[in-house]
Every structure is written in C-alpha cells, then in structure tokens.
Amino acid sequence: VMTAIGESNLRNLSFGDVVGPDSRGIFQQRSNWGTLAERMDPYTAAFNFYHRMFGVVGWNTLPPTQVAHIVQGNADPDYYAKYFSRATRLVDALLARQVPPPPSAVPVS
C-alpha cells in the first residue's frame, strides 16, 4: 500500500512519467514487469510486486521502506518513507472495519 501510494496515490494510471514513460498501473511498473494488461490489472501488479519482494534477501526483517525501494528500483532509497504512516493508517482502518457476512441464500417460492 505504501508503495502504491508513493507511485500513483492508489490510482491505476495509464501513463508514465519522466523517469519511466512506459510506467503503468498502481505501482507504475515498467515494461520489464509484464505486459501492459498485467501492469494495469491491480491484482496482477500486486502479485508481481510481492513475487519480487519475496526474492529480496531479508525482506521480512528489513524496514518496509527499504524493501519497497529494492523491489521498485527507486533512485531515492528514502522515497517511500514519507508514505509509510499514511499506508499504515489506511491498512489499520480497513482491517478494523467489520464487514458483515453475505446474507444466506433464501429459496424463492
């Protein structure tokens, strides 16, 4: 979430920037991350991000901001730090929300 906030403000962008004119999606992934369709699909983009993250040695003990930097290959190693608290608040709020289970199917007479 922190990375996606930093890259796109959680928007599925169909355009890049000066650094990556081919960057697309919520993570602004470049063409070496997959097809345009894959980079524009938030599920696949997140899957690809996590797949690369799990390949980072020590990913589970490093600060999340450092892991995001390694995975994304961002020029500034501290770039994602400013988004960490916002991402934490957002995830905490989503996890705290009580979502009722779907209603049971009621047979129609």
Side-chain angles (χ1 to χ4, degrees):
V1 173
M2 169 192 67
T3 307
I5 291 171
E7 292 295 336
S8 68
N9 202 26
L10 293 175
R11 294 174 303 161
N12 203 22
L13 300 176
S14 62
F15 56 88
D17 55 23
V18 174
V19 176
D22 60 337
S23 299
R24 299 291 186 274
I26 61 171
F27 291 100
Q28 285 290 277
Q29 294 165 332
R30 305 212 42 209
S31 59
N32 64 327
W33 282 79
T35 67
L36 177 59
E38 290 168 338
R39 292 178 286 145
M40 289 300 295
D41 175 48
Y43 177 88
T44 303
F47 178 89
N48 289 338
F49 178 88
Y50 286 117
H51 180 74
R52 289 193 183 191
M53 183 189 80
F54 293 140
V56 173
V57 175
W59 69 268
N60 57 338
T61 59
L62 293 169
T65 56
Q66 187 176 354
V67 175
H69 164 69
I70 294 167
V71 171
Q72 290 291 102
N74 193 294
D76 178 0
D78 298 317
Y79 177 75
Y80 298 106
K82 60 187 161 211
Y83 304 106
F84 184 76
S85 63
R86 181 174 165 203
T88 301
R89 288 191 313 272
L90 178 60
V91 170
D92 287 347
L94 291 171
L95 291 174
R97 179 174 159 85
Q98 296 294 320
V99 179
S104 300
V106 178
V108 178
S109 318

